[in-house]
């Protein structure tokens, strides 16, 4: 610790030496017009950068700058690097891949869900991985999860008080949540309340998950310590959260692209201040990010009439302030991390150049080569070795209740009337086999599903809420073939129809995440979506539908490790079968 303090003091003295003229800056952005997010003014200035920090913003140029990179920003506009305040960085992509992709279009900070590390890593390795992410040019922060979003067989294995408090105390963890288990809190779960109190005591806000919550529920959750929520679905709901003192996130995701309408409604209600409003893409699927991340949200805000300075603050200053990071991020000012976007026009948030921690990510529209930093093998995040096999006798379906998809994420129970003892469900029936199997092969849950496909032979996916295996399809033989190919891949998504493999997406990182480029993944996801729609998937986001089959924070019925669960009653209707 002493050495770290000494090193930091030496760095600070070097910053002052640059100001005194006895040392030189590394980069000088000359004569640009920058957004001062404190005063909401556009001001002309020179910006000096040393290593990863801004050391000066003002009229002066350094006296001796013979070794500095001088960048003429005349007729250019400088804004803080954008912040994604609520990322789920494992929806087929991996966190490094998502971060570097987002940085190219100006999103230089991510505040990330840690859920997948609970399932893939022990705590020591997970914390070591968090440290590794600190070496990326993108600023990476994390949440301390309080719950799993599903019904686990051994929940205490992942979320004990000791483990939760250890996460909360980690310096890269800056919030508690998101709190999908809030009904348990209202029912008197004092352990959950204790974790929230500890989060707030440490100065780390607690993120809620309160879709459709009434004024009474929102008030009770505020009293119990929830400080933010991103689940407003209308302008009135967003304003209500602001009036109750919530930091309020507006969502623009692949599953709920609500942002344009919410902003229209908030402005129509006469809202004049956006100081406690942020925006989030809330873990969209890959193709949704084809044109960037927060730059797209800012563009929407500007187009809908949000005042220009507020539109940028909603994706920078406001988020940093909420998380207590304003001395580090979210503004262009001395001492802050040099995350800066350079724009052609002040109302065009798509940058021509991007600096992240003082390093060029994009320069004059040219993407710079950034070496990868995360050695996934070091953390044993690699292809899954399945040391068990799926057999025809596993494909026995006799449960009378199935899952009926109302839309991408809402699922209702239905009484199964189709004969699911057959090897193939006829195309004349809209049911398909549905099975969730432990990735270690120890248990299974068999039922049926309506609304995902009307004729596809088989889909198997190791990508799911918990990393367990999801099987959906009409044909048991196609299911077995899809399983065989998935096993060979070491995890991924495989589609089979009438004995032919139609599609495969290898997920080499723990069976959850793709190891290739983001552009390649985007094209593969587009192809997957097109195939599934051709086979009768009627909604917009099939990857998300697979992901949330086990997610018990959504109504009404789910397939989980414990079995088929009634979410509202919190009852297991039909338990898992041990193999």
């Amino acid at each position: 610790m002493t050495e770290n303090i000494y090193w930091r003091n030496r760095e600070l003295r070097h910053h002052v030496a640059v100001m005194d003229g006895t040392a030189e800056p590394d980069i000088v952005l000359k004569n640009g017009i920058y957004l001062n997010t404190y005063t909401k003014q556009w001001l002309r200035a020179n910006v000096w950068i040393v290593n990863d920090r801004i050391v000066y913003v003002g009229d002066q140029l350094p006296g001796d700058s013979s070794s500095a990179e001088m960048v003429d920003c005349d007729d250019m506009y400088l804004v803080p690097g954008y912040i994604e305040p609520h990322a789920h960085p494992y929806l087929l992509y991996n966190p490094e891949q998502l971060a570097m992709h987002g940085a190219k279009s100006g999103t230089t900070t991510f505040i990330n869900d840690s859920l997948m590390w609970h399932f893939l890593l022990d705590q020591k390795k997970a914390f070591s991985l968090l440290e590794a992410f600190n070496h990326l040019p993108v600023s990476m922060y994390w949440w301390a999860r309080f719950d799993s979003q599903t019904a686990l067989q051994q929940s205490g294995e992942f979320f004990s008080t000791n483990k939760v408090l250890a996460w909360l105390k980690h310096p890269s963890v800056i919030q508690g949540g998101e709190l999908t288990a809030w009904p348990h809190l209202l029912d008197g779960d004092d352990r959950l309340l204790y974790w929230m109190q500890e989060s707030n005591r440490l100065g780390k806000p607690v993120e809620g998950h309160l879709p459709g919550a009434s004024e009474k529920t929102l008030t009770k959750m505020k009293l119990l310590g929830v400080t933010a929520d991103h689940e407003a679905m209308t302008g009135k709901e967003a304003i209500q959260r602001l009036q109750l003192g919530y930091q309020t996130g507006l969502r623009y995701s692949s599953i709920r692209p609500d942002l344009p309408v919410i902003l229209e409604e908030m402005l129509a209600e006469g809202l004049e201040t956006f100081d406690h409003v942020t925006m989030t893409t809330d873990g969209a699927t890959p193709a949704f990010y084809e044109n960037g991340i927060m730059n797209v949200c800012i563009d929407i805000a500007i187009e809908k009439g949000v005042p220009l300075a507020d539109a940028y603050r909603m994706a920078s200053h406001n988020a940093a302030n909420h998380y207590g990071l304003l001395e580090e991020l979210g503004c262009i000012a001395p001492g802050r991390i040099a995350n800066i976007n350079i724009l052609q026009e002040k109302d065009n948030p798509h940058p021509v150049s991007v600096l992240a921690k003082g390093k060029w990510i994009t320069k004059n529209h040219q993407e710079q080569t950034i070496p990868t930093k995360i050695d996934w093998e070091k953390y044993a995040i690699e292809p899954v070795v399945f040391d068990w096999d799926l057999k025809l006798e596993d494909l026995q379906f006799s449960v009378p209740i199935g899952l009926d998809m109302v839309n991408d994420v809402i699922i209702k129970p239905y009484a199964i009337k189709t004969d699911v003892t057959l090897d193939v469900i006829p195309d004349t029936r809209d049911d398909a086999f549905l099975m969730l199997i432990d990735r270690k092969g120890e248990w299974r849950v068999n039922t049926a599903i309506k609304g995902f496909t009307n004729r596809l032979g088989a889909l198997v996916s190791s990508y799911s809420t918990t990393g367990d295996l999801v099987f959906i399809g009409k044909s048991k033989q196609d299911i077995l073939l899809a399983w065989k190919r998935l096993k060979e891949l070491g995890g991924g998504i495989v589609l089979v129809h009438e004995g032919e493999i139609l599609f495969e997406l290898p997920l080499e990182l723990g069976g959850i995440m793709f190891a290739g480029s983001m552009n390649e993944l985007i094209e593969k996801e587009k192809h997957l979506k097109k195939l599934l729609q051709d086979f009768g998937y009627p909604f917009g986001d099939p990857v998300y539908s697979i992901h949330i089959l086990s997610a018990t924070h959504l109504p009404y019925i789910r397939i989980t490790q414990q079995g088929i669960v009634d979410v509202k009653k919190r009852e297991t209707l039909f338990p898992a079968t041990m193999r």
Side-chain angles (χ1 to χ4, degrees):
M1 179 63 74
T2 302
E3 289 180 2
N4 290 337
I5 292 172
Y6 178 74
W7 178 86
R8 182 60 178 158
N9 287 349
R10 184 171 58 189
E11 183 183 49
L12 295 174
R13 293 297 183 190
H14 180 63
H15 294 169
V16 173
V18 171
M19 286 302 305
D20 286 339
T22 59
E24 294 184 42
D26 297 311
I27 299 174
V28 177
L29 306 178
K30 292 177 20 181
N31 206 32
I33 298 173
Y34 84 102
L35 175 61
N36 187 304
T37 54
Y38 282 93
T39 65
K40 301 186 183 181
Q41 294 174 296
W42 295 88
L43 306 171
R44 190 173 294 277
N46 303 305
V47 180
W48 307 2
I49 296 168
V50 175
N51 192 13
D52 65 343
R53 297 283 167 162
I54 300 167
V55 300
Y56 176 77
V57 183
D59 297 332
Q60 302 299 312
L61 286 169
D64 183 4
S65 56
S66 57
S67 65
E69 179 184 1
M70 307 295 288
V71 181
D72 187 359
C73 293
D74 193 27
D75 295 328
M76 295 290 191
Y77 299 87
L78 279 57
V79 296
Y82 309 142
I83 299 173
E84 167 51 274
H86 189 92
H88 297 274
Y90 48 76
L91 272 83
L92 301 184
Y93 38 73
N94 67 69
E96 181 179 27
Q97 190 182 63
L98 177 67
M100 298 314 301
H101 174 75
K104 293 171 184 176
S105 53
T107 303
T108 55
T109 299
F110 289 79
I111 298 163
N112 298 296
D113 186 359
S114 62
L115 182 60
M116 207 48 63
W117 307 145
H118 292 274
F119 297 133
L120 294 179
L121 299 170
D122 62 42
Q123 188 168 283
K124 183 177 179 180
K125 279 188 177 178
F127 287 174
S128 178
L129 182 58
L130 300 198
E131 296 297 331
F133 277 111
N134 290 336
H135 296 289
L136 294 182
V138 178
S139 301
M140 298 288 275
Y141 299 92
W142 302 88
W143 319 344
R145 268 284 182 177
F146 296 157
D147 60 82
S148 64
Q149 294 192 164
T150 187
L152 301 175
Q153 291 211 345
Q154 301 292 335
S155 61
E157 178 183 342
F158 302 101
F159 299 99
S160 66
T161 292
N162 287 341
K163 288 182 178 180
V164 169
L165 295 187
W167 275 88
L168 280 172
K169 291 173 183 176
H170 193 283
S172 292
V173 172
I174 61 171
Q175 82 162 9
E178 74 182 282
L179 188 61
T180 55
W182 60 269
H184 295 278
L185 178 68
L186 292 182
D187 284 348
D189 187 336
D190 278 342
R191 186 178 69 156
L192 195 53
L193 181 57
Y194 172 61
W195 297 345
M196 294 168 58
Q197 288 177 314
E198 282 300 291
S199 187
N200 285 320
R201 185 183 66 81
L202 291 166
K204 299 181 179 185
V206 175
E207 175 82 9
H209 178 96
L210 305 169
S214 66
E215 179 187 43
K216 184 177 181 179
T217 296
L218 288 169
T219 299
K220 288 193 288 186
M221 296 304 292
K222 199 75 184 68
L223 291 170
L224 291 169
V226 175
T227 53
D229 186 69
H230 61 283
E231 292 290 337
M233 290 179 274
T234 68
K236 286 187 177 180
E237 287 184 359
I239 290 172
Q240 182 181 56
R241 283 161 170 75
L242 290 170
Q243 291 170 342
L244 291 172
Y246 283 90
Q247 183 80 14
T248 302
L250 310 182
R251 182 165 42 196
Y252 187 63
S253 75
S254 54
I255 201 68
R256 289 212 64 96
D258 298 328
L259 180 64
V261 172
I262 290 179
L263 286 173
E264 287 176 0
E265 293 174 351
M266 292 173 78
L267 290 165
E269 291 285 331
L271 187 71
E272 296 181 352
T273 179
F274 291 84
D275 291 352
H276 296 283
V277 179
T278 58
M279 298 178 286
T280 177
T281 59
D282 194 16
T285 42
F288 194 78
Y289 291 135
E290 188 166 17
N291 297 315
I293 303 182
M294 298 312 296
N295 55 309
V296 176
C297 295
I298 298 168
D299 210 1
I300 291 169
I302 293 170
E303 191 271 329
K304 292 301 176 185
V306 173
L308 199 56
D310 284 312
Y312 286 107
R313 278 177 49 113
M314 286 161 65
S316 56
H317 188 110
N318 294 0
N321 188 47
H322 173 64
Y323 288 110
L325 295 173
L326 205 48
E327 290 298 316
E328 296 277 317
L329 298 164
C331 55
I332 297 175
R336 275 55 172 198
I337 294 172
N339 293 345
I340 299 174
N341 293 331
I342 301 175
L343 314 177
Q344 194 76 54
E345 302 291 341
K346 66 169 68 172
D347 59 356
N348 179 359
H350 310 289
V352 299
S353 299
V354 177
L355 279 166
K357 294 183 181 176
K359 305 297 181 187
W360 293 107
I361 304 295
T362 301
K363 192 173 184 183
N364 297 324
H365 294 293
Q366 297 297 312
E367 295 177 7
Q368 305 299 292
T369 301
I370 308 294
T372 57
K373 298 285 188 181
I374 306 300
D375 180 2
W376 295 105
E377 289 185 6
K378 178 180 177 181
Y379 305 96
I381 297 179
E382 51 197 2
V384 181
V385 176
F386 298 104
D387 60 0
W388 55 277
D389 212 352
L390 183 70
K391 298 181 175 142
L392 188 60
E393 49 262 39
D394 289 312
L395 306 181
Q396 298 177 14
F397 297 82
S398 58
V399 170
I401 300 296
L403 280 65
D404 185 4
M405 296 183 63
V406 177
N407 59 31
D408 306 71
V409 298
I410 306 301
I411 305 173
K412 290 186 175 181
Y414 81 101
I416 300 172
K417 297 181 180 178
T418 296
D419 184 358
V420 290
T421 65
L422 300 173
D423 286 345
V424 177
I425 296 177
D427 291 350
T428 54
R429 309 295 298 183
D430 57 359
D431 312 75
F433 300 119
L434 170 63
M435 186 164 54
L436 184 73
I437 300 186
D438 173 38
R439 67 161 48 200
K440 296 179 181 178
E442 295 177 356
W443 51 261
R444 60 180 170 83
V445 183
N446 294 35
T447 183
I449 188 169
K450 291 172 63 173
F452 190 89
T453 182
N454 56 20
R455 63 188 185 92
L456 178 66
L459 173 149
V460 59
S461 173
S462 60
Y463 168 79
S464 66
T465 299
T466 54
D468 297 312
L469 306 183
V470 173
F471 294 80
I472 300 173
K474 292 277 196 172
S475 165
K476 292 180 180 178
Q477 290 303 317
D478 283 349
I479 287 173
L480 291 172
L481 177 57
W483 154 251
K484 180 180 177 182
R485 183 56 185 150
L486 182 88
K487 189 174 181 179
E488 293 170 348
L489 291 173
I493 299 176
V494 177
L495 268 61
V496 170
H497 188 64
E498 296 180 348
E500 179 185 355
I501 296 174
L502 302 182
F503 174 89
E504 58 185 48
L505 172 63
L507 298 175
E508 298 175 0
L509 304 180
I512 302 293
M513 299 171 289
F514 186 63
S517 73
M518 189 70 167
N519 289 338
E520 183 184 359
L521 178 59
I522 286 170
E523 292 307 312
K524 282 184 174 292
E525 191 221 342
K526 287 180 179 178
H527 185 204
L528 172 62
K529 182 176 178 179
K530 174 67 166 56
L531 281 171
L532 289 174
Q533 288 175 334
D534 289 345
F535 278 96
Y537 179 81
F539 309 117
D541 201 335
V543 170
Y544 218 96
S545 293
I546 295 166
H547 177 62
I548 56 78
L549 283 171
S550 297
T552 53
H553 64 290
L554 293 163
Y556 293 87
I557 189 172
R558 300 287 143 170
I559 184 169
T560 76
Q561 290 186 2
Q562 292 182 8
I564 300 172
V565 171
D566 182 315
V567 173
K568 287 204 168 184
K569 294 180 180 178
R570 278 176 263 160
E571 293 178 354
T572 300
L573 303 178
F574 301 95
T577 300
M578 301 308 293
R579 297 179 72 242

